[in-house]
Amino acid sequence: MTETTARAPTPAARRLAMPAMRAWHAVIAGGFLVAYLSGDSDRLYIMHQVAGYTVLAAVVVRLLVAAFARTVPWRMPRASLAGTREWLRSGRGRHPLFAWLALALFVTVGAAAASGMAAHWLTWVEDLHEGLSTVSLWVVLGHAGFILVMVGGKRHLSALWRRLTASRRAVWKESTR
């Protein structure tokens, strides 16, 4: 089926797309959080493993769905240098950091989960797994921070900045009297 003859998604599919994407995010975020927090505990090793396998399964399922998806939000964002240059030149369209962070997340979180599975049988992979997990945490935090800033965060951050600077000015005014 070519791109021109592809059928548009049904209204029901469009209504379910974002809740399904949020559920996927909840599964992967929860699994990552549990795996990361339980990583240093021998008593919680089974919980750590189950959470890691859940994350790995969520990444694989998402990549498989993206391979066949034709519409947003299931189609994988396309990170490209040309697209980034165009956005920097014009400032229009979706911010390219969304696509770059998605790519970084799939690479780091997927590699951390896959190396965790390998570390179960190959003990020499444990240090790699720990390093990838730490890098993944920073990429996840960067992703979350970027989303907060892009989705209404700018307004809240500027309001917070105005309040902070207004209170500083008031304190400075009082101290100079």
Side-chain angles (χ1 to χ4, degrees), residues 9-155:
T10 65
R14 281 194 304 263
R15 270 194 313 275
L16 291 175
M18 285 313 289
M21 182 59 80
R22 286 185 188 108
W24 178 81
H25 271 88
V27 167
I28 201 161
F32 182 83
L33 184 64
V34 169
Y36 193 83
L37 294 176
S38 63
D40 289 333
S41 173
D42 290 335
R43 291 183 318 135
L44 301 175
Y45 182 68
I46 296 298
M47 182 187 297
H48 177 77
Q49 270 190 308
V50 169
Y53 284 128
T54 301
V55 169
L56 185 59
V59 168
V60 169
V61 165
R62 176 67 175 91
L63 291 174
L64 286 173
V65 168
F68 299 105
R70 295 183 304 260
T71 60
V72 172
W74 295 107
R75 191 175 47 114
M76 195 58 101
R78 308 286 196 276
S80 74
L81 290 174
T84 302
R85 280 193 299 269
E86 174 61 26
W87 185 86
L88 288 170
R89 187 187 62 70
S90 70
R92 284 184 278 172
R94 187 170 190 176
H95 199 296
L97 203 48
F98 280 110
W100 287 107
L101 279 170
L103 177 64
L105 281 166
F106 278 107
V107 168
T108 59
V109 172
S115 65
M117 183 177 75
H120 182 70
W121 292 284
L122 307 169
T123 56
W124 57 270
V125 180
E126 287 177 5
D127 289 337
L128 174 66
H129 172 60
E130 190 173 330
L132 287 169
S133 299
T134 302
V135 170
S136 295
L137 176 65
W138 286 106
V139 175
V140 166
L141 292 174
H143 172 70
F146 179 70
I147 297 298
L148 287 174
V149 168
M150 293 306 291
V151 182
K154 290 178 190 176
R155 185 182 64 225

